[in-house]
Amino acid sequence: MERNPLRRQLQIMRKSLFDQGYLDEQFVQLEELQDESNPNFVEEVVTLYYRDSARLILNIEQALERKPYNFHKLDAYMHQFKGSSSSIGAKKVKAESTLFREYCKSGNGEGCMRCFQQLKKEYTTLRKKLEAYFQVARQAGPMETACRPK
Amino acid sequence: MVVETGFSSPRTDAFPAGLRVLVVDDDPTWLKILEKMLKKCFYEVTTCCLAREALNLLRQRKDGYDIVISDVNMPDMDGFKLLEHVGLEMDLPVIMMSVDGEIRRVMKGVQHGACDYLLKPIRMKELRNIWQHVFRKKIHEVRDIESMEGIESIHMARSGSELFDDGSFLGGEDTTSGRKRKDADNKRDDKDLGDPSSTKKARVVWTVDLHQKFVKAVNQIGYDKVGPKKILDLMNVPWLTRENVASHLQKYRLYLSRLQKEGDIKNSFMGMKHSDTPPKDSTAGSGIRNSINLTQDNVSNGSFSFPVNHTLAPSVDLKGHEGDRKGITSGPMTELKGPFPIDVSGPRKAKSSKISFDHSLGSVDSVVNFASFGPTDTAQYSWNEIPEIQFKQEYEPLQLENRFSQLPLPGLQHHMLPEYLQPAVSVSPGPSITEKEATSSGFEVKSMYDDYRSNHAKHSSQTEAVGESHSLNNQVFKSISTTTSSMKSQDTVPNHLTVSEFSPKNLYEGVGADDLQLCWPQGDCYATNFGLQGLDCTEHNNPATALETPFHLYDHPFDPTEYYASDQGLFA
């Protein structure tokens, strides 16, 4: 257990993200890529993800405003979004994406809409948690190599 | 956005470290992650978010990458299409990626030729192993080359005497083998522009010419009944192995079926014909680059060599004289265009040959070329057309050039096409030209002549990029002068020249490196470059009309025949 209080806090936060299913193994992969040449690699990637995926979210939102739904297009957008979300290990967000695609395939417009609302919630929640996490991380200073979630 | 890591030599000794990977993905997050992962594996990474951009990069540096990793879903082009192009044009291993692991999709990837299909999220350990795909391919290629070599040497021994006997070198075997040899040599010499490494990958390059033969054979046998062995026999290309044909056939099949589905076949034809027109590849420079790269491997007459060339001096106006060219070397003209520093202001003909790959046609084009090659042989060879201006007769430019194009000359590559030569006929008698000249004038010309004489000039030394672009056509020479077209004197006989058709032999007989120097009307006279000053152009009588123009610039009368002869040597 970390003696440094900040580091300890960081560890707790991190563990909770995994335990609660917000993040998966991919996040650990990112952490493993972090090194001296890229000390803030994980944060950079997450930032990039949120910036780029905002665009995709917007696309889907606009597509959902046009009735009747173009399921093919919606599916394509979500496919992209899912791929992107998988890059940072956003587990819950990814699960919602998969569900959304199922609704698209079955032509369930209602299901798509509901699912999308849920997805946005998860997406936003994760962002907040990660922002808080990185804030502490920056304060705590460089960590040792990532440790796998217990 | 392309992040270039710079092309360093392909591989360090600590293989697989230094493996040059090109990653294509429209998702910036993944691109960043993959780049980091690959760098951790000590690979050299170049990232790209657009498929078209990736193709450009690949074409510019034909041997600048060892493997391509691409996402399946991309905005500007379907990942599978990119995969096809890369496979056909560059023959590099391609790994597909997707978050979608549906069996159907994975199968489609494999069908299109992907050597692996990774599911996102991708683990680093999966990337660590990608070098195996590169290694595997290399082994296979080396095997092909080696087997080819053996055959070539046999051919070389035989070919000399027959070269000048009669113009029909359609069989082109000798030259082919000679050329092939040269190509192999070139490959090894690695003069390739794009390949900084000393070990050039040995691949069978399916040049336009070669592919055309392939398509002809396929059509003859009947697409349904086709088989690699039958095709191989019909093609009559000595150095080609059954395996080469088999793998190419597979690609071709995939390609065709895709085309049919998309109804692109027509387009392809258009594209092909278009090649003649000036340039699609307006980016001559890049075109050249591309072509050069392409051609480098071209064993064959250079069908691909064109690419390089076409960007070259446009001046070469190869007017299409007769469609005979079919397939034969027509390409050469364009070749000159290339790297020559000469400022070819003339119309650059994007000689189609390569155009297809060049990018000018776009991804589809390249594919198209294949398709089009078959049926539209005349169209394609438009580039070959040698400017009649010079020579009244139309002769097929010696494909010799093409071969030269293989030389990586950075600028030159393109051997000029002295191809115009006429069918060996003229050559034989004559090359009296000045072999002496050939000696060296700086251009490999001499090699050409020497070869020419011997017909078999194995002139591998061509390396020097002899600018022998025999392209007598003045235009051609323009470009030549600057670039020492590495004309390798391959089998002297312009085998590929179907030249037999052209009577005027004299046209290019003397063409040798010297010719290259021909002063182009455009004003680029590189007479100095002429190694072959001594060329005795007079030896052959040219139809007079043909040559006069350009050569007045030079001291010696331009005797096309001479050039031709030299060419012959090139292809020894």
Side-chain angles (χ1 to χ4, degrees):
Chain A
M1 204 31 154
E2 273 283 350
R3 268 176 281 121
N4 180 321
L6 273 179
R7 292 249 176 104
R8 219 173 322 153
Q9 185 189 358
L10 199 63
Q11 269 182 352
I12 294 168
M13 286 171 89
R14 184 178 174 278
K15 189 170 186 308
S16 130
L17 282 169
F18 282 104
D19 289 346
Q20 293 182 332
Y22 286 103
L23 294 175
D24 62 26
E25 170 69 24
Q26 179 64 15
F27 193 82
V28 180
Q29 288 273 310
L30 295 185
E31 288 176 323
E32 284 174 355
L33 288 175
Q34 192 157 286
D35 54 21
E36 298 85 38
S37 61
N38 285 106
N40 301 312
F41 184 73
V42 186
E43 188 179 356
E44 284 167 18
V45 173
V46 171
T47 307
L48 190 55
Y49 162 73
Y50 271 101
R51 191 168 47 213
D52 187 63
S53 59
R55 175 180 55 90
L56 296 173
I57 293 271
L58 190 60
N59 287 344
I60 298 173
E61 230 154 25
Q62 287 174 345
L64 283 172
E65 279 162 17
R66 290 184 221 110
K67 308 267 174 68
Y69 289 151
N70 181 344
F71 288 112
H72 180 76
K73 206 168 193 176
L74 285 169
D75 184 64
Y77 283 142
M78 194 46 81
H79 179 94
Q80 252 185 303
F81 180 79
K82 183 180 173 189
S84 211
S85 303
S86 69
S87 71
I88 65 163
K91 197 170 179 181
K92 288 195 180 185
V93 173
K94 229 174 82 171
E96 293 297 330
S97 307
T98 307
L99 189 58
F100 185 94
R101 290 190 75 195
E102 292 298 319
Y103 285 130
C104 282
K105 291 198 185 83
S106 56
N108 185 341
E110 262 296 306
C112 281
M113 190 47 109
R114 273 186 287 115
C115 182
F116 187 62
Q117 301 308 321
Q118 184 63 23
L119 182 148
K120 278 196 288 185
K121 252 202 256 170
E122 295 292 349
Y123 176 79
T124 313
T125 305
L126 179 63
R127 179 168 60 207
K128 290 208 187 98
K129 286 187 182 276
L130 286 173
E131 275 170 3
Y133 175 78
F134 287 123
Q135 201 165 12
V136 175
R138 266 181 263 124
Q139 288 169 8
M143 285 250 282
E144 304 298 324
T145 49
C147 39
R148 310 206 144 247
K150 300 294 180 280
Chain B
M1 71 181 122
V2 175
V3 174
E4 282 244 355
T5 55
F7 290 103
S8 54
S9 105
R11 244 175 301 301
T12 61
D13 298 323
F15 186 81
L19 197 73
R20 297 159 307 164
V21 186
L22 175 66
V23 185
V24 192
D25 196 334
D26 65 320
D27 186 329
T29 316
W30 268 115
L31 216 52
K32 185 180 170 84
I33 296 173
L34 289 168
E35 184 184 22
K36 184 72 185 166
M37 282 185 175
L38 290 164
K39 279 190 172 152
K40 279 237 164 189
C41 298
F42 303 110
Y43 294 153
E44 234 182 68
V45 188
T46 306
T47 61
C48 193
C49 66
L50 286 176
R52 295 212 180 265
E53 210 168 345
L55 273 178
N56 284 342
L57 281 177
L58 286 165
R59 284 169 181 153
Q60 274 164 28
R61 282 186 76 95
K62 182 132 205 295
D63 278 301
Y65 302 97
D66 299 306
I67 188 164
V68 179
I69 303 182
S70 169
D71 188 76
V72 166
N73 295 83
M74 281 189 293
D76 66 331
M77 191 195 293
D78 184 25
F80 294 120
K81 226 184 176 99
L82 172 65
L83 166 58
E84 249 176 52
H85 282 296
V86 175
L88 282 169
E89 291 180 39
M90 291 114 205
D91 194 33
L92 286 174
V94 182
I95 294 177
M96 303 301 293
M97 303 184 285
S98 181
V99 68
D100 185 353
E102 258 176 52
I103 298 292
R104 273 182 298 117
R105 297 282 277 179
V106 177
M107 264 195 356
K108 190 175 178 191
V110 177
Q111 259 179 341
H112 280 62
C115 57
D116 208 349
Y117 194 106
L118 303 177
L119 288 190
K120 285 178 173 176
I122 298 179
R123 300 275 177 275
M124 197 156 114
K125 59 176 181 268
E126 293 176 80
L127 293 180
R128 268 193 214 282
N129 293 331
I130 62 174
W131 64 268
Q132 295 174 12
H133 301 292
V134 178
F135 189 59
R136 197 178 300 123
K137 229 177 170 96
K138 256 183 164 330
I139 298 177
H140 291 160
E141 283 170 0
V142 170
R143 255 188 239 136
D144 287 343
I145 292 295
E146 281 168 359
S147 64
M148 226 166 32
E149 292 272 294
I151 299 172
E152 280 182 358
S153 47
I154 296 172
H155 278 274
M156 290 306 298
R158 289 201 267 125
S159 59
S161 48
E162 317 155 341
L163 283 182
F164 302 97
D165 287 359
D166 68 346
S168 52
F169 289 90
L170 284 179
E173 283 184 313
D174 293 335
T175 30
T176 320
S177 53
R179 255 180 287 124
K180 185 67 162 119
R181 190 169 41 74
K182 289 217 170 24
D183 295 333
D185 286 344
N186 290 341
K187 284 189 193 151
R188 275 183 252 115
D189 290 341
D190 198 37
K191 297 261 171 84
D192 195 342
L193 282 183
D195 188 358
S197 66
S198 51
T199 52
K200 205 163 159 27
K201 232 195 279 203
R203 302 193 191 115
V204 172
V205 176
W206 282 88
T207 63
V208 161
D209 192 59
L210 191 61
H211 179 74
Q212 227 238 343
K213 283 201 180 116
F214 169 85
V215 174
K216 262 196 180 139
V218 168
N219 293 336
Q220 245 178 286
I221 301 169
Y223 186 71
D224 301 326
K225 306 187 225 94
V226 86
K229 187 77 179 68
K230 286 185 197 168
I231 299 173
L232 186 63
D233 291 339
L234 263 182
M235 277 177 76
N236 205 11
V237 173
W239 50 264
L240 204 61
T241 70
R242 196 197 149 281
E243 288 71 30
N244 300 146
V245 177
S247 73
H248 192 71
L249 176 63
Q250 188 183 37
K251 289 182 187 162
Y252 185 62
R253 281 207 171 111
L254 288 175
Y255 179 63
L256 277 190
S257 66
R258 256 188 298 288
L259 279 189
Q260 271 153 18
K261 282 190 211 142
E262 299 158 10
D264 284 340
I265 302 226
K266 277 199 209 125
N267 297 340
S268 52
F269 280 117
M270 306 289 229
M272 273 312 305
K273 295 198 176 140
H274 193 61
S275 46
D276 297 330
T277 57
K280 265 181 137 235
D281 26 331
S282 42
T283 54
S286 54
I288 298 179
R289 267 317 120 163
N290 296 344
S291 49
I292 295 180
N293 289 330
L294 285 177
T295 52
Q296 289 188 342
D297 297 324
N298 290 341
V299 174
S300 55
N301 304 328
S303 32
F304 281 104
S305 49
F306 297 114
V308 171
N309 299 325
H310 54 261
T311 51
L312 294 176
S315 48
V316 183
D317 296 58
L318 300 173
K319 298 260 186 135
H321 32 258
E322 68 264 339
D324 297 349
R325 302 289 195 111
K326 313 253 179 151
I328 302 188
T329 61
S330 46
M333 283 300 297
T334 52
E335 299 168 350
L336 298 174
K337 316 272 189 93
F340 293 102
I342 299 181
D343 162 50
V344 185
S345 45
R348 253 186 217 218
K349 263 171 184 281
K351 290 309 175 169
S352 47
S353 57
K354 90 182 197 120
I355 303 196
S356 46
F357 290 99
D358 242 19
H359 56 266
S360 50
L361 296 184
S363 54
V364 177
D365 297 331
S366 50
V367 180
V368 169
N369 292 323
F370 282 127
S372 49
F373 273 108
T376 54
D377 43 36
T378 46
Q380 298 157 351
Y381 299 106
S382 47
W383 30 0
N384 295 329
E385 311 185 63
I386 299 183
E388 288 103 354
I389 308 173
Q390 268 60 54
F391 307 95
K392 290 326 173 73
Q393 45 288 29
E394 312 181 295
Y395 27 88
E396 297 266 347
L398 263 189
Q399 292 297 3
L400 298 173
E401 288 307 343
N402 300 335
R403 284 188 277 256
F404 300 120
S405 47
Q406 294 158 2
L407 295 183
L409 301 181
L412 307 179
Q413 318 248 0
H414 349 302
H415 353 280
M416 336 316 170
L417 329 188
E419 295 128 80
Y420 305 133
L421 328 178
Q422 3 217 245
V425 182
S426 49
V427 177
S428 41
S432 51
I433 304 180
T434 61
E435 292 192 298
K436 41 192 192 237
E437 292 152 339
T439 49
S440 60
S441 18
F443 302 101
E444 314 336 282
V445 176
K446 83 160 117 168
S447 50
M448 290 201 315
Y449 283 100
D450 293 336
D451 292 335
Y452 182 76
R453 294 297 187 130
S454 53
N455 293 342
H456 315 306
K458 303 259 225 115
H459 175 100
S460 39
S461 46
Q462 312 24 46
T463 56
E464 304 218 276
V466 184
E468 310 172 268
S469 38
H470 301 295
S471 46
L472 296 179
N473 302 322
N474 301 331
Q475 298 138 3
V476 173
F477 292 103
K478 288 211 3 188
S479 48
I480 301 181
S481 52
T482 51
T483 55
T484 51
S485 38
S486 38
M487 303 265 290
K488 296 187 161 203
S489 32
Q490 318 208 352
D491 294 318
T492 56
V493 184
N495 312 347
H496 28 277
L497 301 179
T498 42
V499 195
S500 48
E501 310 169 38
F502 302 103
S503 43
K505 329 168 188 236
N506 31 41
L507 293 179
Y508 279 104
E509 312 212 290
V511 179
D514 305 330
D515 296 334
L516 299 178
Q517 301 304 335
L518 293 185
C519 294
W520 288 99
Q522 314 211 0
D524 287 338
C525 274
Y526 292 78
T528 51
N529 299 339
F530 259 44
L532 298 176
Q533 292 296 340
L535 269 187
D536 214 350
C537 299
T538 49
E539 297 178 346
H540 302 277
N541 317 325
N542 356 24
T545 51
L547 300 170
E548 42 207 66
T549 42
F551 304 110
H552 60 269
L553 298 173
Y554 294 101
D555 295 346
H556 60 81
F558 178 82
D559 186 340
T561 52
E562 287 184 328
Y563 290 103
Y564 190 78
S566 48
D567 292 338
Q568 305 293 348
L570 292 175
F571 296 95

